[in-house]
Amino acid sequence: MTVAALLAQGLGHHRAGRLAEAEGLYRQVLETAPEHGEALNLLGVARAQQGALAEGRALLQRAVAAEPERAEVHANLGQIELMAGERAAAERCYRQALTLAPDHQAARLNLGNLLLAGDRMEEAAACFEQLAAQTPALAEAHEGLGFARQRQQRPAEARAAFEAALARRPAGQAARAPLLANLGGLLLDGGDAAGAVDRLKEAVALAPDQAELRANLGIALYAYGDLEGALTALDGALAQAPAHTRALGAKGVLLAELGRSEEAAQIVDYDALLYVQPVTPPPNGGSLEAFNRALATQVLAAPSLMAERAGKTTRGGSQSGELFRRPDGALAHLVAEIERAMGAYFATGDGHPHRPRRPHRARLTGWATVLESGGHQDPHNHPGGVLSGVYYVRLPATADEVEGNLEFGRPSAGLGTAFTPKLHRVVPKEGQLVLFPSHFWHHTIPFESAETRISIAFDLVPISD
């Protein structure tokens, strides 16, 4: 067979999901032409799709060297870099692809999503706007723009973008469901609970197996004032995903408002489900104070530290991006201490119905918060997590013992209720680790001080098999 025929046959297998057959044909090409750019490109993609990221990256790098002016190979290498967690390298690849081919749809879409995930909202919005102008029929371009505008708190533009995306999804198509959910959330944030309920009911009808949609519907119904309907929707979400963070957190508040205090107390059982312990500094590494100073230095030097991150709950301060991807120095020891504390937490196994269970596969993700005087965290919980926590690196002196406390129980304003259930406070201490189920509502009470306050929060996030 000719090289062209081998590649065509391999690509047919590839598109049909028969990766092993495709790989064999690509390798046949490389036996006779070891630096054939397209064979290296396709084989690199196939290997990455099978989980061999290092080999896939090496093959794509060879493809780039063989065909440096071809945008497609730069875009594909960017995808592999992103899969490997190399966000900066992925961005460079996407931008190079777009330099070579400004209308490369996949590269611009992936770059927009990368910028969105990095909280670079202005750049993300510009990227999606350009993509929507180039490819008006692409629903994902309008949806990405909607996300960026929503997080920039520009609701009218966000709504227009989401509706444009929805118009490009045929009626009855399951892909409409997340767009309807986005619109529902936007309407709820804007005070239109009735409109949010309508959108979310339509979303649930299109994708009834998605617990997240039922949870969102329950929250919208709660805000609308249909408490029993809200409870039914939340229970539906929990029947599909028993530990669903948003559903469980909302249900705890709702049950308390309905007067079902014993059931509510089980969901927010602070005595049984909160875990507080000191961290041990590294052996031969000096005192706890020295450990915390080293942590503070690493946090304050983090390139991702950003003031008032869009879509986050930090007020009057800065928040970093991911810190635990490749931790070193003091951060590496903190990760080890968190993992040790989580191991002890999961080992307790007292049969409590709402004690988090260790996922089969999970990753630990962490970020830092640096608060100035008057700073605080708005009420929130941690959707997507199973077990969450915070470590206190630096705590300034305050006027009283309440300022700066970690307070549990007060729900997010997004829940749409003025009801406040029983509250529980933890007085933070430097060197102290606090673990709690991710569904617990919590916030930081504002403080006044001339010094900054530094903490590191974290989640244990399940990984789907």
Side-chain angles (χ1 to χ4, degrees), residues 153-277:
Q153 298 185 354
R154 294 162 67 170
E157 294 171 65
R159 180 172 181 172
F162 285 141
E163 287 177 343
L166 195 60
R168 287 156 175 79
R169 296 288 192 194
Q173 189 182 75
R176 287 172 63 88
L179 289 170
L180 289 162
N182 294 338
L183 268 175
L186 193 65
L187 292 169
L188 188 60
D189 290 344
D192 183 4
V197 167
D198 289 341
R199 296 285 187 172
L200 287 161
K201 282 182 176 179
E202 187 180 348
V204 169
L206 286 171
D209 59 338
Q210 293 188 24
E212 181 70 12
L213 297 179
R214 292 186 185 277
N216 290 344
L217 175 58
I219 290 168
L221 286 164
Y222 193 173
Y224 183 61
D226 181 357
L227 303 192
E228 292 298 337
L231 186 58
T232 298
L234 295 173
D235 280 340
L238 291 167
Q240 293 174 322
H244 193 282
T245 301
R246 283 170 55 78
L248 196 55
K251 184 177 179 180
V253 180
L254 177 54
L255 287 172
E257 187 165 357
L258 289 169
R260 294 163 61 174
S261 55
E262 290 186 9
E263 295 170 82
Q266 271 203 323
I267 293 175
V268 291
D269 189 343
Y270 303 120
D271 291 337
L273 302 179
L274 267 175
Y275 182 103
V276 180
Q277 80 163 48

Side-chain angles (χ1 to χ4, degrees), residues 39 57 65-66 71 87 101 142 161 173 195 205 221 238 272 275 283 308 313 335 352-353 356 391 408 416 424 441 454:
R57 180 195 285 126
R87 302 172 66 84
H142 301 279
Q173 189 182 75
L221 286 164
L238 291 167
Y275 182 103
E308 301 289 337
T313 59
V335 167
H352 193 289
Y391 176 75
F408 290 91
H424 179 88
W441 295 105
I454 301 176

Side-chain angles (χ1 to χ4, degrees), residues 133-458:
Q134 290 175 338
T135 318
L138 185 66
E140 291 86 350
H142 301 279
E143 185 176 20
L145 179 58
F147 278 125
R149 294 306 188 206
Q150 185 176 27
R151 291 173 66 179
Q152 289 175 306
Q153 298 185 354
R154 294 162 67 170
E157 294 171 65
R159 180 172 181 172
F162 285 141
E163 287 177 343
L166 195 60
R168 287 156 175 79
R169 296 288 192 194
Q173 189 182 75
R176 287 172 63 88
L179 289 170
L180 289 162
N182 294 338
L183 268 175
L186 193 65
L187 292 169
L188 188 60
D189 290 344
D192 183 4
V197 167
D198 289 341
R199 296 285 187 172
L200 287 161
K201 282 182 176 179
E202 187 180 348
V204 169
L206 286 171
D209 59 338
Q210 293 188 24
E212 181 70 12
L213 297 179
R214 292 186 185 277
N216 290 344
L217 175 58
I219 290 168
L221 286 164
Y222 193 173
Y224 183 61
D226 181 357
L227 303 192
E228 292 298 337
L231 186 58
T232 298
L234 295 173
D235 280 340
L238 291 167
Q240 293 174 322
H244 193 282
T245 301
R246 283 170 55 78
L248 196 55
K251 184 177 179 180
V253 180
L254 177 54
L255 287 172
E257 187 165 357
L258 289 169
R260 294 163 61 174
S261 55
E262 290 186 9
E263 295 170 82
Q266 271 203 323
I267 293 175
V268 291
D269 189 343
Y270 303 120
D271 291 337
L273 302 179
L274 267 175
Y275 182 103
V276 180
Q277 80 163 48
V279 157
T280 303
N284 305 317
S287 65
L288 182 64
E289 290 75 14
F291 171 62
N292 282 335
R293 284 196 300 272
L295 275 177
T297 298
Q298 286 187 278
V299 165
L300 295 174
S304 61
L305 198 63
M306 182 185 298
E308 301 289 337
R309 271 183 179 267
K312 304 300 181 182
T313 59
T314 299
R315 302 292 176 262
S318 302
Q319 186 170 318
S320 79
E322 176 59 53
L323 290 180
F324 291 174
R325 186 170 290 117
R326 290 188 184 86
D328 59 4
L331 276 171
H333 181 72
L334 178 62
V335 167
E337 286 290 287
I338 291 170
E339 290 174 341
R340 182 175 64 83
M342 284 187 166
Y345 187 101
F346 287 124
T348 302
D350 60 1
H352 193 289
H354 299 297
R355 174 175 286 278
R357 307 297 191 264
R358 184 189 289 277
H360 175 62
R361 295 176 62 225
R363 62 186 175 88
L364 185 65
T365 180
W367 61 96
T369 301
V370 180
L371 295 178
E372 308 296 336
S373 184
H376 62 281
Q377 290 277 323
D378 283 343
H380 64 287
N381 57 17
H382 292 201
V386 170
L387 186 61
S388 299
V390 60
Y391 176 75
Y392 294 102
V393 180
R394 178 193 295 169
L395 295 170
T398 56
D400 59 47
E401 293 185 354
V402 174
E403 287 188 10
N405 280 193
L406 175 61
E407 186 173 74
F408 290 91
R410 193 180 304 278
S412 162
L415 200 57
T417 177
F419 178 80
T420 301
K422 181 181 177 182
L423 302 177
H424 179 88
R425 289 177 183 162
V426 172
V427 179
K429 297 179 181 178
E430 289 183 0
Q432 178 178 270
L433 195 66
V434 182
L435 297 180
F436 51 88
S438 297
H439 70 267
F440 274 18
W441 295 105
H442 57 285
H443 74 116
T444 305
I445 296 174
F447 70 96
E448 298 294 333
S449 175
E451 301 174 311
T452 57
R453 181 184 194 273
I454 301 176
S455 59
I456 296 175
F458 50 88

Side-chain angles (χ1 to χ4, degrees), residues 48-134:
Q49 288 173 328
Q50 295 175 83
L53 294 183
E55 185 182 356
R57 180 195 285 126
L59 288 161
L60 259 298
Q61 288 170 341
R62 287 169 60 192
V64 165
E67 298 183 312
E69 299 303 313
R70 189 174 169 212
E72 185 69 18
V73 293
H74 290 279
N76 287 341
L77 178 57
Q79 279 299 92
I80 294 176
E81 296 287 10
L82 188 60
M83 291 166 68
E86 299 292 344
R87 302 172 66 84
E91 181 177 346
R92 288 193 296 271
C93 290
Y94 295 145
R95 292 195 183 278
Q96 181 60 28
L98 291 169
T99 297
L100 295 168
D103 61 347
H104 195 290
Q105 178 180 306
R108 196 167 298 281
L109 179 62
N110 291 332
L111 176 60
N113 287 327
L114 182 65
L115 294 168
L116 198 63
D119 294 320
R120 293 158 64 182
M121 293 302 121
E122 287 291 342
E123 294 173 86
C127 189
F128 287 121
E129 279 187 319
Q130 187 168 351
L131 181 59
Q134 290 175 338

